[in-house]
Structures are given as structure tokens and as C-alpha cells.
Amino acid sequence: MAIERIDVDVTSPGRNFVTAVVTTSDGVVGLGDATLNGRELAVASYLRDHVAPTLLGRDESQIESIWQYLYRSPYWRRGPVTMAAVAAIDMALWDIAAKKAGVPLYKLLGGASRTGLLSYAHASGTTIERLNEAIHGYVEQGFQAVRIQAGVPGLDQIYGVHDSAPGGKYEYEPAGRTAAGAPLRPTEETWDTRAYLRHLPTVFAGVREEFGPELRLLHDGHHRMSPIEAARLAKDIEPYDPFWLEDCTPGEDQSVLRLVRQHSVTPLAIGEVFNSVHDYQTLITERLIDYVRSSSTHAGGITGLRQIMAFAAVYGIRSGFHGPTDVSPVGMAANLHLGLAIHNFGIQEYMPHSETTLSVFRTSYRFEDGLLHPGETPGLGVDLDREAAAAHEYVPAYLPVNRLRDGSVHDW
Ligand code: CS2
Ligand code: MG
């Protein structure tokens, strides 16, 4: 059989998503996530204009060969736009293969290595009290791990920090939609690393005091620190037994993690902005990280992410796949199937999609007692209601910009 048609659907049910819809000559449809937050249309064009025409008529079962063709043949390799496009096709082909085999995808990837995937929720609060309220909400839902982000005295708005509604229901979108009539540009925030470094250990102390030693606590530094600042933070939070410190420095400078390692035993997680195994080469071979943060959506699909995890396995490094709302339910399902199958799974980020998103993408994964499971539906187990999706038109939305108090642009 062959690839007969590739559609690229851009939809915005609550936030923007790009989905490749691949149809075979015998009528099987596979879905792949190509969502790149704030740059969605660039990937849609890459797929429509440069990928889809080259794949029509090819044997859809040759997943590895098609991956290599899309990766090597254009000459311009890697990069987030390219790899999100490669990811979408790859996921769709795996979806088709598993649907044809009549099995949930994890069974094609080697079968289940575990009963479920330990997952962590996003808890945050402008104060430690509000943060603790949010954590209580998640603990009641069964979460055994939470990412804790808190406001810093003196700073107005920090990316990823919001108070949750009563009962722990906490929804935010990383990318802010532009208000009608407003200039089409990201919002801006002000940052002060010294204030943050002073405050964060007290946040860990306040949460440990409330919840005791068992709950797993994670924190995302979101690339904001210099190497020596990161080393200090990793050391300062060490007494509170963090599960991980994520993105303590911008990940592209791999060797700086040596400095952080020299000063602490806080586990480190990096990689949500990476897109290939090569981005991890130093980090993995020198064991400078403990968790791989990539998602299938941004790292070349299941084939790309499986390559990274096979390499990481040799060094005892585990997965902590990226699972924010900007990874679509299709990308999330791909992460879950791979996570269930590989031996070196660690933890899965779980930021549930809004009801509007889930009314368009119908999922079969489930969350129970702190564990996610991809479900038993053949394929990825996600359906896209294309008619409903078409009613939600693309809305420009951008991630924020971060500046220091003197106005200079900072990592965020
Ligand atoms: C965050 C993300 O989930 C995370 O760890 O870093 O929310 C990230 O900021 C967004 O995915 C950016 O698109
Ligand atoms: Mg992150």
C-alpha cells in the first residue's frame, strides 16, 4: 500500500495545534503532531510545501527509511521546524502501522515494560501558601510528583507561575493569544536572578514542611541561570531532596553542566528545546544529566526519540518526556506509548489539555493513581474530529519575552 494523501490541519481549540493527517491507499488514517509553539505556520508550510509532495505514492510501512529520507536528503538537517515536521510524519506512520496490526502502538515498540507511567503535575502559586494549596489539589487527584513554581517577592509576573482556582484546578497556556487590535508581539516580563536564587530554597522548605519527605518535587529553572548560579541553586535545594532541577542553564552549551555537577548531587533534566540525539552527545556520554526532556513532537517523532533513549540507556539516563499543553494530545499519546515500552523510562510530565482541546482531539489515554497509561485502542489511540477542528481557526499566540531590570533581553 502507499501514502495517498497528506493533509496538514492547523486548528486552535483553546490553543494552536498543527497535525499531519496521512491517508493510505487502503484508507487507513494516521495522525502526527507538528505543533511548534509560536512558530506553528512555519512547520505547516514545511510539511505542505516541502514534505507532503515528496512522499505521495511511497510505501507507508517503510517508517525508518522515510525518517532517514526526511532527515538526510534535504541537506539542511535538524532544527525545530524541520524536526517537528519529520516528527509528524513519523508519528502518523507508526499510528498507521499499529492500526493495521490491530494493536496499541506500544505493542509494536516492544510491549509494556511497566503497568503505568509515573507522572508529574504543574503546581504553582504566587506565594508559598497558594502553591501549597495547589499541591494539595494535585495530591488529592492522586499525583505522586509535582513541579513546583512560585512567585518571587518583588517580581510581578513570572512565566509558568499562576494561582490555581479553588480545588487545585489549574490551567494556563504557555503562549498568550494577542488581544484583538493589539500589536502582534509577545508580552514582556521582568526578571531578577538574585531575588530568585534567594527565594527558591525557602519555597522548597515550605513545601517539604507541609508535605513531608515522600512527595516527589521537581522545579523548572527555564534556562534562566548562568552556570555558577545554577551550581549554587542545585546545591542550595539539595537538602530538600529534589526529584530534579530542569533547564538550570540554556541547554545548548552542554559542557557547562560539568560545573553544576561538581557542586551538587541534585538530579538534572534538560532537553525540551533539543531536536536530535546529537544535542545530547556530551550530556549523555559524560553523564551530565539524569533525565532526557525531549518530546516525540520536537525530536523527530517516535523514531527520533527512540534513538535518543537507546543512546541514553547505555549510560543509565532515563526519560522525563516533555508534556505541556503545546504538545498536542497526539504527541502526548506518542510519548506515552514509547514511555510504556522502553526500559529506561523515568517520569512523564502531564499538563492536561483543556476540555475544548479534548472535544476536538479524542484521546484514549488515562490517568489513575498518579500513573498515565496510553490505553488499548489500536494505533496511537487519538482521533481528530476534523470538522470540529475546522471551526477553531488559527489565532496568533506567542511565548513571552524576558528582560532584566535594565531592559536587556534575558533567557526565560
Ligand atoms: C515548560 C514548558 O513544560 C515545561 O517544562 O518548560 O511549558 C515550555 O515553556 C513550553 O512548552 C514552551 O512552549
Ligand atoms: Mg520546562
Side-chain angles (χ1 to χ4, degrees), residues 37 120 122 147 159 172 174 220 222 246-247 272 293 322-324 326 349 351 399 412:
N37 213 355
Y120 73 89
H122 281 209
R147 183 185 92 155
Y159 177 73
Y172 80 95
D220 189 350
H222 226 271
E246 173 188 349
D247 285 339
E272 67 181 43
R293 282 287 289 142
H322 198 203
D326 50 291
E349 180 178 20
M351 196 180 162
L399 290 159
W412 59 278

Side-chain angles (χ1 to χ4, degrees), residues 176 178 183-188 398-401:
T178 311
L184 200 58
R185 64 167 84 113
T187 55
E188 304 224 343
Y398 290 110
L399 290 159
V401 164

Side-chain angles (χ1 to χ4, degrees), residues 121-125 128-143 145-149 164 168 203 206-208 210-211 215-217:
H122 281 209
S124 86
I128 298 172
E129 293 67 38
R130 298 303 303 269
L131 169 63
N132 280 344
E133 280 171 30
I135 300 172
H136 273 294
Y138 284 117
V139 168
E140 277 161 29
Q141 289 173 40
F143 279 96
V146 283
R147 183 185 92 155
I148 56 170
Q149 308 294 123
S164 45
V203 173
V207 174
R208 274 284 171 237
E210 179 80 6
F211 293 92
L215 187 65
R216 296 164 178 90
L217 303 181

Side-chain angles (χ1 to χ4, degrees), residues 26 141 191 210 229:
D26 53 347
Q141 289 173 40
W191 178 249
E210 179 80 6
E229 289 166 345

Side-chain angles (χ1 to χ4, degrees), residues 267-294:
L268 301 175
I270 283 196
E272 67 181 43
V273 299
F274 290 175
N275 42 70
S276 85
V277 68
H278 301 285
D279 298 324
Y280 283 100
Q281 206 160 359
T282 306
L283 294 179
I284 289 179
T285 54
E286 295 191 24
R287 300 175 205 268
L288 298 179
I289 55 170
D290 301 278
Y291 296 93
V292 161
R293 282 287 289 142
S294 291

